[in-house]
Every structure is written in C-alpha cells, then in structure tokens.
Amino acid sequence: MKQFEVNFDGLVGPTHNYAGLSFGNVASLNNANAKSSPKQAAKQGLAKAKALADMGMVQGVLAPQERPDIAALRRLGFTGSDARVLESAAKQSRAIFLACCSASSMWTANAATVSPSADTADGRIHFTPANLTNKFHRSLEPEVTGNILRGTFANEKHFAHHQHLPDNEHFGDEGAANHTRLCSNYGRAGVELFVYGRHAFDTSKPAPKRYPARQTLEACQAVARLHGLDDDGVVYMQQNPDVIDQGVFHNDVIAVGNQNVLFFHEQAFYQKDAGFKELQAKFGSEPLHFIEVPTAEVSVQDAVKTYLFNTQIITLPSGEMTIIAPTECQENEAVKRYLDKLVTLGTPIKSVNYFDVKQSMRNGGGPACLRLRVAMNDQELAAVNQNTLINDTQFARLNAWVDKHYRDELGEDDLRDPQLLIESRTALDELTQILKIGSVYPFQQA
C-alpha cells in the first residue's frame, strides 16, 4: 500500500483584501488597508500548488469562504436587502464590517487539525475544524470550513469529521498551525506534537504578556481525545511566551516538521529539552533530526519577516526533503545565508525552492499557512473527492475560473459594493460545481 502526504492548499477568495485585523501578526498589521490583488493572489497560490504537483507530490485545493459574510452581519442586527446590510454595516461599524470581509480563510493551516488513520483508534482519518476563537474575524469560519472538509473528504468509511471545540477562549484552537506530526513513514503510527501558548485553567503558569496566546493546552488535549490518539503517540509542548510577544502568533511561524525532521528556532519552545526527550522516546529507536537555528544566525525578527519557518518541508518521490520557501527568504541576507548552509549539513533537507506568494505574505501568511496536510494511503486517496485534486486539467480550469471572476485590484471601498458580492457569489457557486463539493455556503442554502 502506498503512502502519501497530500497538501490541500486554500484557494484565495475573490474578495482577498488587507484589513490588518490580526493583533499579534506583524505582517498583517503592517499592510493594513493597502490595495490587494485578488487575481494575483489566487494565481500565486495555484502556481505553488501546481509546482508541487509537478514535483511529484499529490496536491489538492480547498474552497474559500464567502466574504463579505452577510449571514454574520445579519446575526449582528444589520437588516434589509444584502446591499442595505453592506451599506449600513460599513457606515455604522467599520471594524465589524472589515472583520466580516476577512480574507484569512486562505490560510488552511488554520482550517483544522488532522490525524491520519495510522494514529487513530478507529483507523480513520480524523478532522476537527479549528474554532479560532481568539479573533472575531476568524471565529466566523468553522462551520463553513466543516462543510468544505466534508465535501472534500466525504467517505465515512475512511474519514471522521468532528464539530469544532466550544466557542470559548478556554478551548482556543488554531488547528494545524500549532500541530506537527513526526513519523518514520507517512503510513506508520507517528508522534503528534501539539504546541500550546497557555494553560486555560491555571493562570500561575507562564504565558505571554504583550500578545495573546491563541492555543490552549486544554484545546490540544480535547482534539487528541476526539481523534482517539494514544498517549504514547502524543506530546504537548509549550511555545515560548517571550517569542509570542515578539510576533510569533502560531507555532508554524517558528517551527516546522516533516517525517523525522523538526526544524525550529532556538527560541521556539519553553522547556524544550524535556519536550525533545519525550519526542524522541515516543518516536522510537530511529533518530529524530532536531535542526535548531541559532538566534545569532537568524533573529526572531528576520524569521517572522521572511517566514523562514512558515515554509513547507516536503519529501520528494526521490526520498529527499526540500524546503518550499517564499522569495522573501531569498531576499534576506541572513536567512539566505542560513538556508544555503542548511543544505550542506548532512540532514535530510537537501534543497530549497523559492516561490512568490507575496499577496499572502503581505496579509500575514507564508507557504505553510496556505496548506492543510493530510497523510493517507492509496485507498484513502481514492476516497477523496477527486475534483479537489490538482492535475493539468483542473489547474487550467481553476486558472480560467479566476480570470473570469476575479478583480485585478481591491480596496476597502470595493468591499461595500453590492456588485462585488454578486460577483463573488457567482464565482463561488461556479467553484462548488467545479469541485463538486455541494452547497457549502449559506447563500446556497437560503
């Protein structure tokens, strides 16, 4: 039986915009209210997905959310026609309006936590959508995310879907952005590393002071229980509170893993020695490669600015690992110097590939933010909705769809334009037919 790790990248939506909504995300705040290019953003994401498919990887896509979120605005008391809802929300509460226009669902690393069948008690792949309670604009996503995941992974024999955790800060869950799976082979039982920022029920424990810790230990433990994970295959580690206060809002901004490699910054973890000892003990007799990047070589600021750790590490069909990095890493002297050195150190990482994903980077997410990883075997892959997988035909079809429906440029004033809402819904309705995922959006169910 063949084993794969499939990357499902989030399609960038037709209302992609920069609103600077994410306190604690430096890149997001720095680009607030700049003009965006939805068409360029979508094409950059598709180009990266197609390039990985051309490398021999199995690659899929996940549909975006509908934005502006008219249903959410109606829940908040804005009434009348859709055009009237947009007009009154933009006029009466700009902050709420912009939150309901957020483009953040493009970062599918936050869509869910995924546990492959080799790790779970019932031998199925388990999905729990992230509740994203720390940010209002992201807390709007879980229900539609669940719909999209069920439309993509629809076979109950192979896939188990859970409701997102309770919408409360005690169970703040940011999905795979704080979850890494280490394994010797994608098809064998691995060790699932859950990284949390704080203890929800014990304020005496260390926690950041400047920026919020979005993931709680209690949320990590709840997901592990839901997925039927054995204690011998789970490790919980705390993110360094000081590094969260430097703008590292998710663990995947400061660490990334793949198979037997954990690539991380010196300042990434709290009490890391004990955590790494537990990881190695639970991983087994085969050695783990702990690749630590010293602060003296790459500062936390440079790591955040370039998203050195929000890169993807993938295992090519040849068995060698490569890093998928944004071009910002190539343009930063210290980071480029380190990556040039890394491929000579004798680790499993042998090469680096640079991609232009600037539209995502400017909104606060790198290549790894754009993907949800799902390890599976060939039978499970055959049970996936095949229309969501990237091949030459589907790539061309999705690019043509973007060309047909997306605007070249978008600013805040455009978001309140009722015509944009009509354009967006027309595009998304067509997309659900291209991907054959069913009626996942509220406007399709009205």
Side-chain angles (χ1 to χ4, degrees):
M1 195 175 292
K2 294 182 179 179
Q3 313 294 336
F4 311 89
E5 183 177 71
V6 186
N7 288 289
F8 285 85
D9 281 26
L11 279 170
V12 178
T15 59
H16 169 71
N17 69 94
Y18 303 142
L21 298 168
S22 192
F23 180 65
N25 182 333
V26 176
S28 171
L29 295 175
N30 286 347
N31 290 288
N33 305 319
K35 290 263 188 177
S36 65
S37 173
K39 183 176 290 186
Q40 186 181 47
K43 284 182 167 289
Q44 286 175 353
L46 281 168
K48 178 180 82 75
K50 180 60 163 59
L52 266 64
D54 289 344
M55 290 178 188
M57 308 299 292
V58 184
Q59 177 71 50
V61 292
L62 294 176
Q65 306 255 334
E66 177 201 359
R67 294 294 181 270
D69 189 338
I70 298 295
L73 290 171
R74 290 189 183 281
R75 284 181 64 199
L76 295 172
F78 298 102
T79 59
S81 66
D82 290 342
R84 178 63 180 158
V85 167
L86 287 173
E87 180 187 358
S88 55
K91 187 175 182 179
Q92 294 175 34
S93 181
R94 176 177 177 265
I96 292 174
F97 173 71
L98 288 178
C100 290
C101 294
S102 170
S104 57
S105 71
M106 64 193 281
W107 298 311
T108 52
N110 299 124
T113 304
V114 184
S115 294
S117 56
D119 295 356
T120 63
D122 67 359
R124 293 189 292 171
I125 300 175
H126 284 245
F127 299 84
T128 297
N131 60 21
L132 301 165
T133 57
N134 186 258
K135 298 285 180 286
F136 167 65
H137 67 281
R138 300 227 60 177
S139 72
L140 301 175
E141 297 174 22
E143 284 195 24
V144 173
T145 294
N147 294 343
I148 292 168
L149 290 172
R150 284 188 291 273
T152 306
F153 307 95
N155 188 314
E156 292 184 4
K157 177 183 175 183
H158 296 288
F159 310 119
H161 295 274
H162 302 279
Q163 185 180 5
H164 61 278
L165 298 182
D167 298 297
N168 183 278
E169 63 175 9
H170 287 75
F171 295 98
D173 176 25
E174 300 281 315
N178 290 319
H179 174 263
T180 298
R181 180 177 184 259
L182 302 170
C183 59
S184 57
N185 177 290
Y186 291 128
R188 295 181 189 168
V191 180
E192 299 198 20
L193 171 60
F194 289 85
V195 180
Y196 62 95
R198 67 184 179 93
H199 295 71
F201 292 94
D202 188 347
T203 56
S204 71
K205 299 288 188 182
K209 296 179 176 62
R210 181 184 181 192
Y211 290 137
R214 303 186 186 185
Q215 184 91 24
T216 67
L217 170 63
E218 291 80 357
C220 297
Q221 293 169 329
V223 172
R225 285 192 295 269
L226 286 169
H227 290 195
L229 303 182
D230 191 287
D231 288 345
D232 289 338
V234 176
V235 172
Y236 304 100
M237 289 183 67
Q238 184 169 2
Q239 192 170 344
N240 180 359
D242 293 337
V243 89
I244 293 176
D245 282 337
Q246 293 180 65
V248 179
F249 51 99
H250 289 139
N251 179 63
D252 70 358
V253 178
I254 205 71
V256 59
N258 177 56
Q259 290 188 324
N260 62 347
V261 168
L262 185 63
F263 178 50
F264 61 98
H265 193 274
E266 178 184 356
Q267 297 184 47
F269 299 104
Y270 178 71
Q271 296 182 334
K272 62 186 175 187
D273 291 344
F276 292 167
K277 184 177 180 182
E278 184 182 359
L279 270 175
Q280 181 63 77
K282 291 183 174 179
F283 191 79
S285 58
E286 297 181 44
L288 276 170
H289 294 267
F290 294 103
I291 305 175
E292 180 174 292
V293 181
T295 304
E297 294 189 50
V298 177
S299 67
V300 170
Q301 290 71 30
D302 277 345
V304 172
K305 184 166 63 175
T306 64
Y307 280 164
L308 168 61
F309 299 97
N310 199 240
T311 52
Q312 297 174 238
I313 305 176
I314 60 174
T315 302
L316 297 168
S318 66
E320 291 188 349
M321 293 190 195
T322 189
I323 286 181
I324 306 298
T327 51
E328 283 79 358
C329 287
Q330 195 174 24
E331 295 159 1
N332 181 287
E333 185 178 344
V335 171
K336 177 65 162 58
R337 185 187 308 119
Y338 180 81
L339 287 172
D340 287 345
K341 172 185 165 183
L342 172 61
V343 298
T344 70
L345 296 179
T347 75
I349 300 172
K350 302 300 183 187
S351 59
V352 180
N353 289 272
Y354 296 99
F355 287 88
D356 180 0
V357 287
K358 282 185 168 55
Q359 287 289 318
S360 178
M361 290 286 287
R362 288 171 186 161
N363 219 12
C369 275
L370 289 164
R371 58 87 190 265
L372 183 70
R373 296 187 280 185
V374 186
M376 57 179 63
N377 58 44
D378 47 6
Q379 292 180 2
E380 292 159 344
L381 181 59
V384 171
N385 178 343
Q386 299 298 295
N387 300 284
T388 64
L389 301 178
I390 287 290
N391 52 37
D392 290 346
T393 301
Q394 203 67 329
F395 175 69
R397 195 174 184 187
L398 289 169
N399 262 294
W401 170 77
V402 170
D403 285 332
K404 177 181 176 182
H405 294 288
Y406 280 50
R407 296 188 182 187
D408 289 312
E409 189 174 85
L410 205 64
E412 183 178 330
D413 287 343
D414 298 309
L415 294 170
R416 65 189 75 181
D417 178 5
Q419 182 57 38
L420 178 65
L421 180 66
I422 294 169
E423 292 173 17
S424 175
R425 286 179 168 176
T426 301
L428 294 177
D429 193 52
E430 186 176 313
L431 178 65
T432 59
Q433 296 170 56
I434 292 172
L435 301 180
K436 293 183 171 53
I437 55 174
S439 298
V440 299
Y441 300 110
F443 77 87
Q444 295 176 313
Q445 300 160 3

